[in-house]
Amino acid sequence: MNDLTGKTVLVTGGARGIGAETARRAVEAGANVVVTDVLEDEGKALAAGLGERARFMRHDVTSEEDWAAVAAFATAEFGGIDGLVNNAGISTGQPLETETVEHFRRVLDINLTGVFIGMKTAINAMKDNGGGSIVNISSAAGLMGLALTSSYGASKWGVRGLTKLAAVEQGTAKIRVNSVHPGMIYTPMTAQLGIQQGDGGYPNTPMGRVGEADEIAKAAVFLLSDDSSYVTGAELAVDGGWTTGPTVKYVMGQ
Ligand SMILES: NC(=O)c1ccc[n+]([C@@H]2O[C@H](COP(=O)([O-])OP(=O)(O)OC[C@H]3O[C@@H](n4cnc5c(N)ncnc54)[C@H](O)[C@@H]3O)[C@@H](O)[C@H]2O)c1
């Protein structure tokens, strides 16, 4: 299951958190992995620890030039790109009425424009390789109206939409495009928000606990692998049931 032997996978924002676990899982599954991030020290250390089939390159996902350089690097090192995990992102919380236009544009630039340039770059590279799989990391905030996420939520709904239309456009080109929607996952991003790891850490979810980065990584590796060969344009919630609706734990009338 989930064999990636012989495939080359690019993971953006891979220096830590969900991206780092995805890179680790992809190497375990047999892939060559190019980890990219703006955090150079963490990214280099991670790639060194993952061994011979991992590389790191500094990469700002908002830069078209950086994307071109990463694609050239992956082709020079490993012969092309078969999988892309568009994972890099920033999270912020603001009520809409106090959000600034400047900040809104910055979040959209990283979380949505970065994904757009990545898809464009990867599709062109994948066409040369006979197909591929793109996994876009959206969010539970891209499946519902989550309060205090005006810029973040807009970016993640945008990622979900871009995923669908790209899946339609690329279907016959054998390039599959899917989105993953993590719920509350314990990473440096959420630790900064005061989220606690494990059971009881997030009672809003039916499962009651905060998820682990590796639980998202496993979903990403499934979508990268040929085991998901007929899955495209799908949105996979990995959220402990958070987006099923309000967590109602009583029966009406009782
Ligand atoms: N942790 C959660 O609960 C959660 C929930 C839903 C969605 N997500 C999404 O999962 C993805 C990974 O999140 P995480 O929790 O691991 O966060 P994280 O902050 O731990 O990791 C994100 C990585 O993206 C990198 N990054 C930021 N801006 C970048 C840029 N311009 N270019 C390249 N890299 C950049 C950061 O340096 C960092 O290494 C994000 O897209 C996030 O929105 C996370």
Side-chain angles (χ1 to χ4, degrees):
M1 281 289 284
N2 297 344
D3 184 18
L4 299 180
T5 305
K7 294 185 192 291
T8 297
V9 174
L10 192 67
V11 183
T12 71
R16 68 182 197 189
I18 290 169
E21 289 308 310
T22 302
R24 195 184 315 281
R25 279 271 172 192
V27 167
E28 270 175 29
N32 304 313
V33 175
V34 178
V35 174
T36 79
D37 206 298
V38 289
L39 298 177
E40 286 189 63
D41 292 345
E42 291 92 330
K44 279 180 191 164
L46 180 89
L50 292 179
E52 284 185 353
R53 281 186 282 105
R55 304 280 187 279
F56 172 77
M57 188 171 186
R58 192 199 182 276
H59 171 211
D60 181 339
V61 293
T62 65
S63 161
E64 215 172 345
E65 293 73 30
D66 278 13
W67 272 107
V70 167
F73 179 70
T75 302
E77 292 291 311
F78 297 127
I81 302 172
D82 306 290
L84 167 65
V85 183
N86 268 318
N87 166 79
I90 57 170
S91 165
T92 55
Q94 284 273 2
L96 195 147
E97 71 269 26
T98 56
E99 177 65 291
T100 66
V101 172
E102 185 188 25
H103 183 256
F104 185 89
R105 286 194 171 127
R106 177 71 186 146
V107 174
L108 270 279
D109 202 22
I110 295 172
N111 291 8
L112 182 58
T113 309
V115 169
F116 158 70
I117 308 171
M119 291 171 73
K120 188 176 167 176
T121 307
I123 285 166
N124 284 310
M126 286 171 179
K127 280 194 168 144
D128 297 338
N129 269 11
S133 173
I134 297 174
V135 180
N136 292 327
I137 306 297
S138 175
S139 170
L143 292 170
M144 61 180 172
L146 189 62
L148 309 181
T149 68
S150 53
S151 52
Y152 184 75
S155 73
K156 294 301 186 178
W157 276 79
V159 168
R160 179 186 176 200
L162 264 187
T163 301
K164 302 258 185 252
L165 72 89
V168 174
E169 287 185 0
Q170 299 304 323
T172 55
K174 298 188 171 60
I175 299 172
R176 298 184 296 104
V177 192
N178 294 288
S179 57
V180 172
H181 299 259
M184 193 59 78
I185 309 299
Y186 188 72
T187 67
M189 178 188 275
T190 51
Q192 281 164 8
L193 303 174
I195 293 294
Q196 305 288 316
Q197 195 166 17
D199 282 340
Y202 203 62
N204 275 354
T205 61
M207 290 183 73
R209 70 171 172 87
V210 169
E212 295 295 327
D214 187 50
E215 294 179 292
I216 307 303
K218 287 187 281 189
V221 168
F222 165 68
L223 290 170
L224 289 168
S225 80
D226 294 342
D227 287 321
S228 57
S229 54
Y230 203 50
V231 183
T232 196
E235 47 196 48
L236 178 54
V238 186
D239 65 353
W242 191 15
T243 53
T244 54
T247 304
V248 180
K249 293 194 172 174
Y250 63 89
V251 178
M252 295 276 285
Q254 291 187 346

